[in-house]
Amino acid sequence: MEQDFEERKDFMKETLLRFEHMLKTEASEFFDLDTYEQVAEHYLDNGDWEKAFKACELGLENYPYSLDLMLNKAQLLSNRGEFEVALELLERARLFHPGDNEIPFMQGAIYNLMGEYETSVTILEGMLDTADEKDDIYYQIGQSYQNWGKYTEAIENYKHSIQLNLQNEHALYELAHCLDLIGELESHLGFYTRLVDIDPFSHHAWYNLGIAYSKLERFEEALEAYEYATLIKEDFASAYFNLGNSYMNLEQYEKARGCYEKAIELEGKQPETCCCLANSYEKLGDFEMAIRYYREAVKLDSLWDDGWFGLGICMAELSRWHEAIGFFRKAIQLSELNPDYWMALAETEYKLGNVVSAFEAFEKSAEIEPGNPEVWLKWSLVLFDQGNYGRACDLLAAAVDEMPEESDLYYRSAVYLIHAGEYREALLNLEIGLTLDYDRHVQLFDFFPELEKQKALYRIIEQYRTKNQ
């Protein structure tokens, strides 16, 4: 058997060399239908669409009724966005192969890509009466409804797909995504637990139960589900990766590190996994190892902005400010609308005394995400540190207009107003902060270590403490 496999492998290698030589020299070569179909499939599987398309075209010139070649060519035309041409080809295929279910299935998928969702659903639903394997059809109908924005209908079709085939991992994942979008994931947890009860040895069922728990931020339960998935399928790299993410959320960084390393052992180095492993080292305070894996991530994919950002964070932690700025700017170049990148750049610029550049970066971060109190608090702190209390107060006043329910803004405003000599306004802001979230008043100790000696402040805090008991 092994000899037969090696012989087929050698034959395919020789065939591909002949085919590519024919393309290069435009020489005439004979290939039978089976060979054209195998060559097209090979290039499709390897993502070489141009050669796959050429194999389909040349094959159809010699074998114009080949269903596989027509379907592959239609798929490639669809990939190019040439939907109308693809549909014309499929109509032609249907004339020659009127009873084949793959043709309307692909038509439905293409209409979905075109945004003609109703047509897509009509075609696909029309297949249900005659198709033997319905799970993929229900899944594709779900895709059309999901893209249409009809999530309830999408959910029902994904459920039908899963009930017919518990191993349909795409339907399991999209079901969780849709339920999360409409806020009904928790109410459907019973559906996921029933799947586990139906087949307790399905790694897909346990894995997707873990995803559901993760989306609900129930990380302890997610850990248990992912661990079962890895016990059933020991080489389940995605489960180890998600297990690592759950440990990170539970601040168990050493265990997270081990899971990410296992995922890399199983599926090789991927940019995302390397970044997550680097982040676990970063949280453990091992910045040199973190830098090593962030570098691995950007080496694998130079457009992976998380990797460049992680390098910047590590350099900042090591007080290598100039290097940090370079990495932050690289991350921003790749993802200009990420507010965290601008905020990190702002803080680092300020460390180097580049006040104007720091303000520009803070302003950009606040412009992108005005509803993030952290950027306003950090930006105003720079002004406060410079003794510019009035501008710091004005900045937080603008933030309060944006987020009137954010207690931290009022507490910080109280601090700045006291330093500006605006005691009455300070006490008013303090009272609003205490009303919104009494417990958050502890941050005042950062600015007034001996808060008890601030008698007016302390008296008001004590009054609210009594009310909150």
Side-chain angles (χ1 to χ4, degrees):
M1 185 179 288
E2 187 175 333
Q3 184 179 352
D4 290 344
F5 174 76
E6 288 299 323
E7 286 176 1
R8 287 197 300 272
K9 187 176 175 183
D10 290 341
F11 174 75
M12 192 62 194
K13 185 177 179 181
E14 182 185 334
T15 300
L16 292 171
L17 287 172
R18 281 177 58 215
F19 181 76
E20 290 180 16
H21 178 265
M22 179 180 73
L23 293 182
K24 190 173 182 180
T25 63
E26 298 185 358
S28 178
E29 288 270 2
F30 173 76
F31 297 96
D32 61 24
L33 173 58
D34 188 51
T35 302
Y36 270 120
E37 290 174 348
Q38 287 180 37
V39 168
E41 286 288 342
H42 169 83
Y43 288 126
L44 266 172
D45 291 343
N46 286 277
D48 193 338
W49 291 357
E50 287 305 314
K51 286 178 183 170
F53 191 79
K54 202 67 183 171
C56 291
E57 280 200 314
L58 291 170
L60 286 169
E61 285 179 11
N62 292 282
Y63 308 98
Y65 309 120
S66 166
L67 178 60
D68 283 350
L69 291 176
M70 283 192 276
L71 289 171
N72 284 335
K73 185 178 178 182
Q75 180 64 62
L76 290 160
L77 287 165
S78 174
N79 292 348
R80 291 179 174 184
E82 297 180 37
F83 301 123
E84 296 292 349
V85 183
L87 288 171
E88 287 174 14
L89 179 58
L90 290 172
E91 281 299 321
R92 180 166 168 263
R94 195 169 67 166
L95 291 173
F96 300 129
H97 308 275
D100 190 272
N101 273 330
E102 288 187 72
I103 298 167
F105 184 82
M106 189 174 287
Q107 286 174 320
I110 290 172
Y111 277 115
N112 178 25
L113 292 172
M114 293 170 71
E116 296 188 24
Y117 306 119
E118 190 171 359
T119 304
S120 172
V121 168
T122 300
I123 291 171
L124 293 165
E125 286 183 339
M127 298 175 62
L128 291 171
D129 290 336
T130 56
D132 293 326
E133 296 181 4
K134 296 180 172 64
D135 64 297
D136 282 338
I137 299 171
Y138 278 118
Y139 170 74
Q140 191 59 53
I141 294 170
Q143 288 276 281
S144 298
Y145 275 124
Q146 184 176 337
N147 292 334
W148 198 353
K150 296 190 173 188
Y151 299 114
T152 303
E153 290 87 346
I155 288 164
E156 289 308 309
N157 280 280
Y158 290 141
K159 283 183 176 180
H160 285 313
S161 177
I162 294 161
Q163 285 160 351
L164 291 168
N165 178 11
L166 187 54
Q167 307 308 316
N168 192 328
E169 57 185 302
H170 299 298
L172 284 161
Y173 179 82
E174 294 299 343
L175 174 62
H177 178 64
C178 287
L179 289 168
D180 191 35
L181 280 174
I182 64 172
E184 291 189 10
L185 187 55
E186 190 156 17
S187 65
H188 281 73
L189 274 177
F191 178 81
Y192 286 95
T193 55
R194 280 195 298 277
L195 295 179
V196 169
D197 291 337
I198 292 167
D199 187 355
F201 294 102
S202 168
H203 59 279
H204 287 309
W206 283 108
Y207 176 69
N208 281 277
L209 179 60
I211 289 174
Y213 281 130
S214 294
K215 286 179 180 289
L216 293 169
E217 299 185 4
R218 292 165 60 171
F219 299 115
E220 293 282 2
E221 291 156 295
L223 281 178
E224 186 178 356
Y226 292 135
E227 282 172 350
Y228 274 118
T230 60
L231 287 171
I232 296 164
K233 183 176 170 59
E234 293 180 1
D235 61 348
F236 198 175
S238 296
Y240 280 107
F241 178 78
N242 281 10
L243 194 57
N245 291 342
S246 296
Y247 279 125
M248 287 294 286
N249 281 298
L250 292 167
E251 299 183 3
Q252 297 182 38
Y253 304 124
E254 187 63 43
K255 288 182 178 179
R257 181 189 63 77
C259 292
Y260 293 136
E261 287 178 340
K262 183 67 175 179
I264 288 172
E265 177 192 322
L266 291 170
E267 69 175 359
K269 291 176 180 176
Q270 307 294 328
E272 186 176 13
T273 316
C274 285
C275 264
C276 290
L277 177 57
N279 189 227
S280 68
Y281 275 116
E282 182 189 321
K283 294 294 186 183
L284 290 165
D286 190 342
F287 297 111
E288 293 302 331
M289 284 297 289
I291 288 168
R292 173 184 165 186
Y293 280 101
Y294 281 130
R295 288 193 186 279
E296 287 278 1
V298 298
K299 183 179 177 183
L300 289 164
D301 184 351
S302 62
L303 302 180
W304 202 264
D305 53 287
D306 281 348
W308 296 108
F309 179 68
L311 284 167
I313 292 293
C314 290
M315 296 302 174
E317 290 287 348
L318 297 170
S319 300
R320 292 158 62 176
W321 308 115
H322 289 286
E323 290 173 271
I325 282 176
F327 289 127
F328 288 144
R329 290 199 176 278
K330 178 66 176 178
I332 287 167
Q333 183 184 343
L334 295 170
S335 182
E336 191 178 358
L337 297 180
N338 189 311
D340 294 336
Y341 296 177
W342 285 102
M343 186 158 58
L345 176 63
E347 291 181 275
T348 310
E349 292 280 16
Y350 184 61
K351 290 285 186 182
L352 287 171
N354 302 331
V355 178
V356 174
S357 296
F359 283 174
E360 288 173 352
F362 275 127
E363 186 175 6
K364 186 69 176 177
S365 181
E367 178 188 317
I368 296 167
E369 191 179 20
N372 179 6
E374 188 180 3
V375 63
W376 297 94
L377 292 168
K378 288 184 175 180
W379 187 4
S380 66
L381 188 59
V382 171
L383 290 164
F384 175 78
D385 287 345
Q386 292 184 311
N388 200 334
Y389 307 135
R391 280 192 65 195
C393 291
D394 291 342
L395 194 64
L396 286 191
V400 165
D401 288 341
E402 191 73 41
M403 295 165 282
E405 302 298 316
E406 188 60 49
S407 63
D408 288 356
L409 298 175
Y410 295 99
Y411 285 121
R412 187 68 66 81
S413 292
V415 171
Y416 297 166
L417 286 162
I418 288 169
H419 282 82
E422 300 283 346
Y423 299 108
R424 185 173 176 279
E425 283 295 315
L427 296 178
L428 286 172
N429 276 274
L430 174 60
E431 289 199 49
I432 296 171
L434 290 166
T435 302
L436 289 170
D437 189 340
Y438 172 82
D439 292 335
R440 295 292 295 167
H441 81 271
V442 295
Q443 63 191 276
L444 296 173
F445 285 100
D446 295 335
F447 296 90
F448 305 113
E450 296 180 332
L451 185 60
E452 294 84 353
K453 293 183 180 180
Q454 299 285 332
K455 292 183 180 178
L457 292 183
Y458 193 67
R459 186 169 60 252
I460 292 172
I461 291 169
E462 283 298 296
Q463 288 173 1
Y464 277 85
R465 181 176 67 82
T466 305
K467 290 179 183 179
N468 280 272
Q469 283 181 339

